[in-house]
Amino acid sequence: MSEYPASGPPPQIPATRDPARQPRPATTLRQRLAELRGPSVAPHPLDARALAALAANPGCRRRALLDGAGVDKAVLATALGSPAAFGQSQFAFVRGNAFEAKVKADGGTELLRLLVERLGGGAEAAAVAAVPDLTAAGPEGRAARTALALREATAAGSWTLLDHPMLALEVAGSPAYLEPDAVVVHPDGTWTVVEIKSFPMIDSSADAAKVGAAARQSAVYVLALERVAAMTEGAEVGRRVLLVCPKDFSNLPTASVVDVRKQRAVTSRQLTRLTRVEDIADALPEGTTFDPGCSAEELGTAVESVPAAYAPECLAACELAFHCRAKARAEGAVEALGRSVRGELGGLTTVAGVLAAAAGKEGDPADPTVAALRRAAALRAEALAGVDGGVPCR
């Protein structure tokens, strides 16, 4: 992720007369984030999948800072001795690229046919759609070129296929650059996000979990497109996206329409709740760095200096999840049991505290949570007393 705002370099803050009250220069954030990831380490890009996971857990300052600074969390997790045990296989990656190329072949003719079939509303697909060149230097340049192509296509009023456009979305005070598979501009000015996935759609139905992940990812693209559409006359971003997958067990493409209004609203609200990256960075001890060249002890100290909000759901979405789980278990934190359990336990924050409250050794009997735990413990003891003379069944 770049540390510059999407509109250009950060504004300069004028100096004050009182040196004791003089604010930090605007370039401090850029320099600070570079120090955090390591002066010689290139920033790791933040994609829509990671952004959707970040929005699902907005209370995790650790992930917000690491993603904002462009730290490669997979490398960091390996250095800490808790490597992530998930990721896309090379075979799946190659298969996905081959299927995407097939869908977009011949200027996207098949893709437009599927889109008109599912979302056309009576419109006819063009024999050939315009495919503008989106080449530019750097993510900022590509985002600007994409915005220009979207405006030109909307003004032209014809079918236009944008292949791998670059979109910018502000996250916690810094811009993230996102690359959807495709965006189609309709003759009426509607912009539709197209997600191409390699998992199959069998009998017009795909795996619900995978479709849900694709919907959350597409919602991020919709939010980024709305930023450009707000400055483009006659443009409207569709809240329904086209999901293209292989049909049954073949390599032939088929498509389904996914309504992402709910995912878009949730993602927008969660991203708004994220603490700004500079606020988190300012609270760190001087000299904190996540440079992979540091020792495991130094990296562990740096990671623990940033508060985390671990939940079991992180295991499927964050490279540092195994490290955070180990720490949560070592501390006996109830977060390791899940968000729903954590919410039910109120002020009890450790497993040891929960067990002590249930046994009547700690806690206020007037506390509804403590009373419920003691009642549950009594019912369990009563049930076990009636099984084999108090010996539980194995």
Side-chain angles (χ1 to χ4, degrees):
M1 181 190 301
S2 171
E3 297 85 21
Y4 288 123
S7 58
Q12 298 296 317
I13 301 177
T16 59
R17 294 183 178 180
D18 185 358
R21 293 187 176 183
Q22 180 154 340
R24 295 182 178 182
T27 55
T28 297
L29 177 60
R30 181 187 182 192
Q31 296 170 348
R32 183 68 173 122
L33 296 184
E35 292 171 358
L36 286 174
R37 65 174 175 268
S40 60
V41 180
H44 187 71
L46 178 64
D47 59 17
R49 184 176 302 173
L51 191 54
L54 178 61
N57 190 11
C60 187
R61 294 193 169 200
R62 182 175 297 171
R63 175 156 196 168
L65 177 67
L66 295 176
D67 284 344
V71 175
D72 190 332
K73 297 193 298 298
V75 173
L76 180 60
T78 301
L80 291 171
S82 302
F86 63 87
Q88 190 177 38
S89 69
Q90 189 64 27
F91 173 77
F93 184 76
V94 172
R95 182 183 61 184
N97 285 343
F99 178 69
E100 181 178 334
K102 180 181 179 66
V103 171
K104 294 178 179 177
D106 300 324
T109 302
E110 179 64 12
L111 175 58
L112 286 178
R113 184 191 69 79
L114 290 171
L115 187 141
V116 171
E117 183 180 295
R118 300 291 192 272
L119 282 169
E124 294 184 1
V128 179
V131 184
D133 182 11
L134 303 179
T135 304
E140 297 93 340
R142 289 187 59 199
R145 181 68 188 90
T146 296
L148 178 60
L150 286 167
R151 297 188 188 102
E152 291 175 344
T154 303
S158 59
W159 289 104
T160 303
L161 171 64
L162 276 67
D163 186 6
H164 283 286
M166 182 65 72
L167 307 173
L169 180 66
E170 185 176 280
V171 181
S174 293
Y177 292 98
L178 314 168
E179 189 176 356
D181 292 328
V183 172
V184 175
V185 179
H186 300 233
D188 63 357
T190 302
W191 300 351
T192 298
V193 172
V194 178
E195 268 296 282
I196 302 174
K197 298 296 185 182
S198 59
F199 56 80
M201 195 174 291
I202 302 173
D203 293 334
S204 302
S205 180
D207 182 87
K210 294 180 179 179
V211 172
R216 290 188 293 272
Q217 187 174 337
S218 299
V220 176
Y221 298 138
V222 168
L223 284 171
L225 275 175
E226 288 176 351
R227 182 176 179 271
V228 183
M231 300 179 289
T232 305
E233 183 178 356
E236 181 181 358
V237 181
R239 303 292 176 81
R240 296 191 300 166
V241 305
L242 188 72
L243 176 63
V244 182
C245 300
K247 182 178 181 180
D248 298 327
F249 301 99
S250 70
N251 199 37
L252 298 175
T254 187
S256 177
V257 175
V258 181
D259 192 325
V260 298
R261 287 178 293 180
K262 178 180 179 181
Q263 290 85 352
R264 179 212 163 274
V266 171
T267 302
S268 177
R269 182 171 63 251
Q270 298 291 61
L271 291 179
T272 303
R273 291 176 54 197
L274 285 173
T275 305
R276 295 179 66 85
V277 171
E278 55 263 44
D279 296 338
I280 304 175
D282 286 343
L284 296 178
E286 197 67 31
T288 299
T289 180
F290 304 99
D291 190 332
C294 296
S295 66
E297 291 76 15
E298 291 174 318
L299 290 175
T301 301
V303 168
E304 293 308 313
S305 68
V306 190
Y310 171 76
E313 292 82 356
C314 297
L315 294 172
C318 182
E319 294 85 346
L320 279 177
F322 293 96
H323 172 80
C324 296
R325 182 181 66 174
K327 290 294 182 181
R329 287 177 172 178
E331 296 170 358
V334 295
E335 285 82 2
L337 304 177
R339 291 194 179 101
S340 60
V341 176
R342 175 69 189 90
E344 293 289 340
L345 292 176
L348 300 174
T349 59
T350 65
V351 175
V354 171
L355 295 177
K361 298 177 181 178
E362 295 181 8
D364 182 3
D367 186 335
T369 301
V370 174
L373 286 171
R374 292 181 180 178
R375 177 59 178 163
L379 290 174
R380 178 178 182 276
E382 181 180 340
L384 293 178
V387 179
D388 295 336
V391 179
C393 293
R394 295 185 182 274

